[in-house]
Amino acid sequence: MKNLKNLLFLVIISLAMLSFSGILQDEWVVPDKYQNMKNPTDPEEDLSIGKSLYSKHCQSCHGKEGYGDGKKANEVEGDLGDFSSEEFQAQSDGALFYKTTFGREDMPEYTKKMPDDEDRWLIVNYMRTLAE
């Protein structure tokens, strides 16, 4: 009986630790180098290219309006975010560039699919237009 109580206690502790580890994984830490990086592109220029790149590479998961409701959204385990939200829009351009470039978990890395940094910066510019 004592072994059963000990086992039950260990199971409860393990589940509690797993639930807290999920919370910790949600924070996406962006290195200072990228956090402070300035966008070298003009947000008024080439917006149509940014929109086209977003449509091709991002829309299937993040949705047309950036609500995280794309046709592949249900296949993703993590939170896709809401690009129209104040919280999302408060991030620096460098942070968005970093996340778009390197990804994590279900978010793919785009250095091979889009090797030109300028393309990813243009997507950042387009994501800014999704603010509400």
Side-chain angles (χ1 to χ4, degrees):
M1 186 61 128
K2 186 176 182 179
N3 286 339
L4 184 60
K5 285 183 181 179
N6 286 340
L7 180 62
L8 182 61
F9 177 75
L10 286 174
V11 168
I12 291 170
I13 294 297
S14 297
L15 289 173
M17 291 176 73
L18 282 173
S19 67
F20 286 119
S21 69
I23 292 170
L24 294 176
Q25 290 174 358
D26 285 343
E27 183 179 356
W28 196 336
V29 178
V30 175
D32 287 342
K33 171 186 173 181
Y34 290 93
Q35 193 69 258
N36 301 317
M37 192 177 275
K38 299 297 179 205
N39 188 334
T41 63
D42 181 350
E44 303 299 318
E45 229 174 89
D46 298 327
L47 200 52
S48 62
I49 296 172
K51 181 178 182 176
S52 175
L53 290 166
Y54 177 90
S55 295
K56 179 178 179 181
H57 297 286
C58 312
Q59 185 171 316
S60 62
C61 290
H62 295 287
K64 187 175 183 176
E65 303 295 324
Y67 297 135
D69 60 352
K71 62 185 175 193
K72 291 184 179 179
N74 292 335
E75 299 172 19
V76 178
E77 289 184 27
D79 179 17
L80 292 169
D82 178 353
F83 295 174
S84 69
S85 71
E86 287 182 28
E87 181 182 352
F88 178 85
Q89 294 291 331
Q91 296 178 80
S92 71
D93 282 359
L96 297 179
F97 176 80
Y98 174 83
K99 292 175 180 184
T100 302
T101 299
F102 298 107
R104 76 165 185 177
E105 297 171 5
D106 286 340
M107 171 68 186
E109 178 179 336
Y110 276 92
T111 56
K112 292 181 182 165
K113 288 183 181 180
M114 274 188 289
D116 188 351
D117 286 352
E118 184 176 0
D119 288 344
R120 294 187 305 278
W121 283 114
L122 293 173
I123 289 175
V124 169
N125 292 340
Y126 178 70
M127 288 189 294
R128 293 291 185 205
T129 70
L130 300 174
E132 288 188 350

